Each structure stands twice: as C-alpha cells, then as structure tokens.
C-alpha cells in the first residue's frame, strides 16, 4: 500500500482492534487526546460556499476524529483544544487572522485552503499578485508526503493563488498551467507546523465529481435527454480520465494531515473497503424487459464466482415476479428502481412514482435504496439527487463513463473515471449543503466498451474490453483504490461479446480476491463507515 508505516488503517468501521493485531502492533494507553484532534473551521458567510464539503472529504478519507465550527465562533480556548486546524477558504478579519497566527506561533498545526493574504507570512508564503485557473498539479514524489503517489499531472478546478516560498518552506506539489507546462509556483506547501493548498480542494473535488454548475441542465452533446454525461462534454481532460484524480488529491490531503500530526498524535484512519482490500467490484445491471432465463444466467454466473448483483428494473418489465424477487434477495442479490422520465414524457419524480407503483403492483417488496435512472438522465446540478433522496434513495449510480463525452477527436474513447473519482461521497449543492445521498460513479460499462453496442461505444472485442478492465483493476490494486461499479445489462448479457467480458471481469476479480458486492450492500457499508467516530484516542510516543 502507498501509505506510511505509521498510518493505521482500520479494515472495518466496526473492527479497529483486529486491524492493530493484524499489523502486529500494540497499543499502550499512555497519552490521551482530549476531544477530536482535527478542527474544521468553516464560514457560512464566505463567498466560497464549499467549506463544509471538506468534512465529507475527511470522512471519505477515513479521518473520523474531527469536529466543525463556524469561524465566527472560533476563540482561543477552542483553538488550543485542537491538534490541527483545517481552515476552509474564507476572508478573515484582522482579529481572526491574529487569532490563527498566535495559534500557530504557540505550536498549533494549521492547514489552510487558498488562505487570506493576512496569513501569508505565517504560512511561509509571499503572494505574487497573480493566479492560475483550472490548471494542473504535479505531486513531488521525492517528498515524504508525496512518496508513493503518481507524478502525472492532475487537473484541478477553480483559482490557485501564485506564491513564492519563504526560507524553510517546501513545495509538496507544483502548479502547471496546462497538462505539460510547469509554472514556478507551488500548489501545496509545508512550512513549520503549517500547510497550504493554493486552490480550494473542496470546490475542486465537487466540480470534478459533479461537473461545473455552469454547464448543468444543458444538452451539451446534442444527444437528448440531458444526461449525467452532458456536464462533462468538452469540459474534461480525456487524457487524465484513466486516473481517479480527485481521489488522489483527497488522498494527498489526508496524507498531509497524518504527516503533520505524526509526532504529536498519530491518527487512525478507517480504510476504504472491507478487509483491507484495495479494490471492490460493485455488480449492477439495468433491465429493460428480459425473460426470466436471462436473469437466471446472469445471477447464477455471479453467484458461482462469489458475487451478488443489483438489478435495476423499469416500470413495465414483468420480471422478476414476486416469488423470483424473494428468491433473489434470499440469495443475496438486490432489485432496485430504473425509472423512466424523458422516454415516457414525464419528470424524473413522476418516473420514480410510476416505477414504485409498478414494484408494489407486482409485490416485489421494498426496492433497493440504490438506483440508476434510465438513459442516465439528470436534472440541474443536484436537482435529480434531491428527487432521488425524496424517494428514499441513498446512492445513485447514474454518473457514467460513456458516450460522446469520452470520445476523442480521433474517434477513440477514453475509459476510466469520468468524474475523476471512484469513491462514494454525498452530493453537495451550490450552497455547500450536503445532500443525504451518495454519488457513486459507474465505470465498467458494457455499452461503453463492446463495439457492436452502438456508435457511442469503444470498438472493442471482448478480449480488448477485458484487457481495459484488467488494467483498471491492476491500477486500483497498485494504489488507485477504487470501488468499481459494473454495468452488466440484462439486455446485452447473453450477446456473444458481452458475456465473455462480463464473466472475465468477475473471474479476474476472483483471482485477486476482490469482493463483488451489490450496490445496496456497498451503501450499507459506506453509511456505517461514515457514522463511525473514534474517541478517547490514546497513543504511546516512540
């Protein structure tokens, strides 16, 4: 794993002690930490509303020991109780700047996002009066914090302040104005007990995952309806889609926090996946009215490999019957909604209502709390997510690496992570409010890979598609650490090229010991992990 030896990884949200044992470590409660070590300081009145999203990033990175406070409520007592302060991008009053400067002067740790210039000298920075927008960063893998990361340039969103460094400050990552053009300015800086991100990580991750809100609600690729892919059309770097670049930047953030606290209070972290696995396959498949025999073949082939699958069924499909649905669930599989909206001439909300009524009419039981909307249709920036949440959906898989948005000028397609991410985070709206529903992108898609499945697919044979899948899984095993959602359409599964690819993907996962879960089981795990807190931390200094 690309982690420090001192970084404790919790293999389950519920089993901390077993991890310690598995690494052969002992914990002797000598020194206690009073309260959460990390204090996240946000400002609801700041022009940048995404400060609270840093909390979602901390949770995604397994840093469960933090509390959040409004900047207006910050005082010396609260600051002094924290081992490290994460400061969201915000303007500061002179008094607030002095408060934070004094905290650092007394030995406090401060990590600031695109900080107010009043903190520049405290952070070892000299602003040059210019900035770089929507650029790239390259992590310096020769530094302690950058060790093990890719040195490939990674795109970021938003504005980065350009700085020169004071004596003693060091650059952890460098700003590039384009994929290949370096600047002399740092993207991430360490100085004494402080660290600085020249751009706002929260906004950048939100825009990578959900797209730029300015592009939302528009049929940008000319292929109706408005889909999750539209917001990315001509707006992403297709030469970086092979990397979960947003995740890598989040991982650098958590690495930096761990490094800053290593000598005062080494932090335990919850690992991303169960049993310390580096990859998870989440098996899903949309249905559009296939016979029972097709389901039997697909489910049995998954089960014979130790996997379970979520099937998303539309409002008119006769299968599964009530008895079949009961049998599937008993075997560990799931059935969820696949609502039609544009195709039925109705709204997304009406599509959910119709789909729910059909489920009830066929006595299929309660649908899964995960879903994928037909045609990966979307509404607004997060409007569709709000609709989904109102129908008890806890995880959406509609963001999709497919179509014209990943097609290069030469006609080839870029496979990978259209959102720059393979991890589940809750949707965030433009006010910075976290929505009660997770976004989990779908990355291994039959209709995106197999050539005969339409003009918006890569022209791959089954063998070529499997090679792409294996490369992505290998990269995850090597450090990308991905939850990879599959799309095994029931409509296509029995076709000659699709089944060998799908079965081969599952076989490869089996060969590497990768779990294959339903989306519902993954959601349950994600929610339990996010709800986990670590308190009364103790540690033994070396």
């Amino acid at each position: 794993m690309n982690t420090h030896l001192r970084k404790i990884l919790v293999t389950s949200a519920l089993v901390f002690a077993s991890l310690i044992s598995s690494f052969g470590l002992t914990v002797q409660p000598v020194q206690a930490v009073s309260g959460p070590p990390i204090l996240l300081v946000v400002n609801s009145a700041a022009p940048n509303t995404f400060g609270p999203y840093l909390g979602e990033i901390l949770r995604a990175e397994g840093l469960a020991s933090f509390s959040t406070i409004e900047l207006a409520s910050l005082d010396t007592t609260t600051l002094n109780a924290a081992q490290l302060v994460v400061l969201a991008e915000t303007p500061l009053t002179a008094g607030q700047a002095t408060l934070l400067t004094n905290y650092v002067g007394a030995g406090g740790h401060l990590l600031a996002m695109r900080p107010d210039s009043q903190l520049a000298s405290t952070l070892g920075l000299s602003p040059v009066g210019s900035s770089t927008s929507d650029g790239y960063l390259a992590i310096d893998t020769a530094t302690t914090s950058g060790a093990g990361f890719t040195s490939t340039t990674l795109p970021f969103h938003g504005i980065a302040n350009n700085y020169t460094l004071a004596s003693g400050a060091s650059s952890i990552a460098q700003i590039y104005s384009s994929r290949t053009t370096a600047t002399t300015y740092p993207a991430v800086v360490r100085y004494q007990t402080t660290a600085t991100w020249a751009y706002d990580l929260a906004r950048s991750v939100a825009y990578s995952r959900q797209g730029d809100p300015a592009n939302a609600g528009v049929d940008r690729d000319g292929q109706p309806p408005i889909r999750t892919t539209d917001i990315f059309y001509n707006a992403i770097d297709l030469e970086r889609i092979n990397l979960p670049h947003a995740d890598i930047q989040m991982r650098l953030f958590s690495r930096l926090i761990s490094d800053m606290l290593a000598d005062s209070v080494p932090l335990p972290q919850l690992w991303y996946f169960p049993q310390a696995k580096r990859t998870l396959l989440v098996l899903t498949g949309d249905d559009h009215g296939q016979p029972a025999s097709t389901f039997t073949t697909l489910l049995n082939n998954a089960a014979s490999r130790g996997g379970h699958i979520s099937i998303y069924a539309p409002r008119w499909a006769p299968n599964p019957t009530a008895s079949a649905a009961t049998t599937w669930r008993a075997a560990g599989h799931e059935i969820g909604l696949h609502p039609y909206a544009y195709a039925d001439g109705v709204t997304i909300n009406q599509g959910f209502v119709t789909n729910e009524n059909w489920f009830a009419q066929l006595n299929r039981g309660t649908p899964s709390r995960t879903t994928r909307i037909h045609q990966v249709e979307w509404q607004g920036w997060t409007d569709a997510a709000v609709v989904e949440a109102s129908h008890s959906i806890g995880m959406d898989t509609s963001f999709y690496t497919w179509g014209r948005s990943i097609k290069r000028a030469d006609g080839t397609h870029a496979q990978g992570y259209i959102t720059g991410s393979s991890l589940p985070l809750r949707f965030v709206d433009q006010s910075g409010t976290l929505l009660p529903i997770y976004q989990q992108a779908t990355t291994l898609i039959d209709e995106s890979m197999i050539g005969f499945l339409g003009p918006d697919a890569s022209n791959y044979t089954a063998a070529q598609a499997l090679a792409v899948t294996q490369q992505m899984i290998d990269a995850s095993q090597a450090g990308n650490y991905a939850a990879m959602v599959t799309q095994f359409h029931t409509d296509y599964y029995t076709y000659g090229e699709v089944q060998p690819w799908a079965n081969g993907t599952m076989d490869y996962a089996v060969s590497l010991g990768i779990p294959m879960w339903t989306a519902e089981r993954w959601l349950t795990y994600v929610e339990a992990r996010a709800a986990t807190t670590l308190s009364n931390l103790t540690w033994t200094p070396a």
Side-chain angles (χ1 to χ4, degrees):
M1 295 181 186
N2 294 330
T3 55
H4 296 311
L5 293 177
R6 61 176 175 268
K7 181 177 180 181
I8 304 175
L9 304 178
V10 181
T11 61
S12 166
L14 303 176
V15 189
F16 178 54
S18 65
L19 172 94
I20 300 292
S21 174
S22 69
F23 275 78
L25 303 176
T26 59
V27 175
Q28 302 172 20
V30 173
Q31 182 170 329
V33 178
S34 177
I38 301 172
L39 179 66
L40 172 60
V41 180
V42 300
N43 182 6
S44 57
N48 181 352
T49 61
F50 290 100
Y53 196 57
L54 289 170
E56 188 69 0
I57 292 173
L58 287 169
R59 278 183 287 268
E61 284 298 299
L63 291 171
S65 301
F66 74 94
S67 59
T68 303
I69 191 172
E70 276 285 332
L71 176 62
S73 300
L74 192 65
D75 57 26
T76 301
T77 301
T78 307
L79 273 175
N80 290 341
Q83 298 290 322
L84 181 143
V85 171
V86 175
L87 179 64
E89 181 186 356
T90 180
L92 301 172
T93 66
Q96 291 163 345
T98 299
L99 187 66
L100 290 163
T101 297
N102 290 342
Y103 167 73
V104 172
H109 298 85
L110 174 64
L111 191 159
M113 293 290 162
R114 197 172 175 239
D116 188 300
S117 60
Q118 295 176 84
L119 293 178
S121 60
T122 299
L123 299 169
L125 307 171
S126 294
V128 301
S130 62
S131 61
T132 302
S133 296
D134 294 325
Y136 292 73
L137 71 151
I139 300 171
D140 186 346
T141 59
T143 63
T144 300
S145 296
F149 285 103
T150 180
S151 60
T152 302
T153 54
L154 309 171
F156 69 83
H157 298 277
I159 300 172
N161 292 339
N162 294 334
Y163 301 105
T164 57
L165 300 180
S167 175
S170 59
S171 173
I172 305 300
Q174 185 177 7
I175 292 175
Y176 276 58
S177 58
S178 70
R179 191 192 308 143
T180 57
T181 305
T183 73
T184 59
Y185 308 121
V188 181
V189 178
R190 279 292 306 271
Y191 178 65
Q192 297 177 355
T193 62
T194 73
T196 303
W197 287 70
Y199 62 97
D200 177 39
L201 179 66
R203 181 194 293 271
S204 182
V205 169
Y207 278 35
S208 290
R209 292 175 59 90
Q210 298 175 204
D212 187 336
N215 295 333
V218 179
D219 182 11
R220 289 166 53 83
D221 67 3
Q223 183 183 41
I226 298 172
R227 309 171 192 254
T228 58
T229 54
D230 274 299
I231 199 167
F232 302 108
Y233 182 74
N234 286 340
I236 55 176
D237 184 348
L238 297 182
E239 301 312 307
R240 291 294 180 264
I241 201 172
N242 63 308
L243 293 169
H245 50 79
D247 296 349
I248 295 170
Q249 292 171 62
M250 293 195 305
R251 208 158 287 145
L252 178 62
F253 173 62
S254 66
R255 171 78 68 82
L256 205 54
I257 289 173
S258 296
D259 286 348
M260 293 173 73
L261 292 179
D263 296 330
S264 57
V265 52
L267 289 180
Q269 280 184 257
L270 305 176
W271 188 240
Y272 305 104
F273 310 120
Q275 304 170 1
K277 298 296 184 180
R278 303 183 182 192
T279 307
L280 179 73
L281 231 58
V282 180
L283 304 182
T284 74
D286 295 352
D287 172 61
H288 303 92
Q290 295 305 300
S293 59
T294 297
F295 293 106
T296 300
T297 301
L298 174 55
L299 270 61
N300 286 349
N301 281 343
S304 69
R305 294 164 170 83
H308 300 92
I309 188 168
S310 294
I311 298 295
Y312 298 126
R315 55 108 178 98
W316 48 269
N319 291 303
T321 62
S323 60
T326 299
T327 301
W328 292 4
R329 289 194 178 96
H333 306 294
E334 292 291 340
I335 312 103
L337 303 174
H338 187 52
Y340 277 49
Y342 176 85
D344 278 356
V346 300
T347 66
I348 289 176
N349 180 65
Q350 291 168 329
F352 270 99
V353 171
T354 301
N355 209 175
E356 288 165 339
N357 290 341
W358 184 252
F359 248 68
Q361 181 180 334
L362 293 184
N363 295 314
R364 286 175 174 166
T366 303
S368 169
R369 292 190 302 124
T370 73
T371 195
R372 184 180 297 112
I373 301 173
H374 180 59
Q375 297 182 307
V376 293
E377 187 175 346
W378 203 245
Q379 177 182 330
W381 199 51
T382 55
D383 293 355
V386 172
V387 170
E388 289 176 322
S390 74
H391 289 274
S392 301
I393 300 299
M395 179 177 283
D396 173 83
T397 64
S398 302
F399 280 72
Y400 214 61
T401 304
W402 169 85
R404 299 177 186 181
S405 294
I406 62 167
K407 191 171 184 178
R408 301 185 182 96
D410 65 2
T412 62
H413 290 71
Q415 296 295 335
Y417 307 96
I418 196 169
T419 65
S421 177
S422 64
L423 297 177
L425 275 73
R426 285 180 293 175
F427 284 95
V428 61
D429 68 18
Q430 291 186 69
S431 72
T433 300
L434 291 167
L435 305 180
I437 175 172
Y438 284 89
Q439 178 204 38
Q440 175 69 69
T442 301
T443 53
L444 302 178
I445 303 167
D446 48 19
E447 63 182 331
S448 184
M449 293 196 178
I450 304 301
F452 69 89
L453 295 181
D456 291 311
S458 300
N459 191 27
Y460 295 150
T461 64
Q464 290 170 330
L466 184 57
V468 172
T469 296
Q470 290 175 342
Q471 289 170 4
M472 291 177 62
I473 291 174
D474 289 345
S476 174
Q477 293 289 95
N480 282 350
Y481 307 137
M484 307 176 80
V485 180
T486 73
Q487 168 65 292
F488 298 157
H489 279 93
T490 60
D491 315 73
Y492 305 145
Y493 182 70
T494 56
Y495 290 6
E497 294 286 340
V498 177
Q499 190 167 165
W501 165 73
N503 290 352
T505 296
M506 292 188 285
D507 287 336
Y508 196 63
V510 170
S511 74
L512 297 174
I514 294 171
M516 293 182 287
W517 284 8
T518 64
E520 177 84 12
R521 186 178 181 186
W522 176 227
L523 171 60
T524 299
Y525 180 91
V526 168
E527 290 177 330
R529 181 178 180 271
T532 300
T533 59
L534 302 176
S535 58
N536 300 320
L537 300 179
T538 60
W539 68 288
T540 302

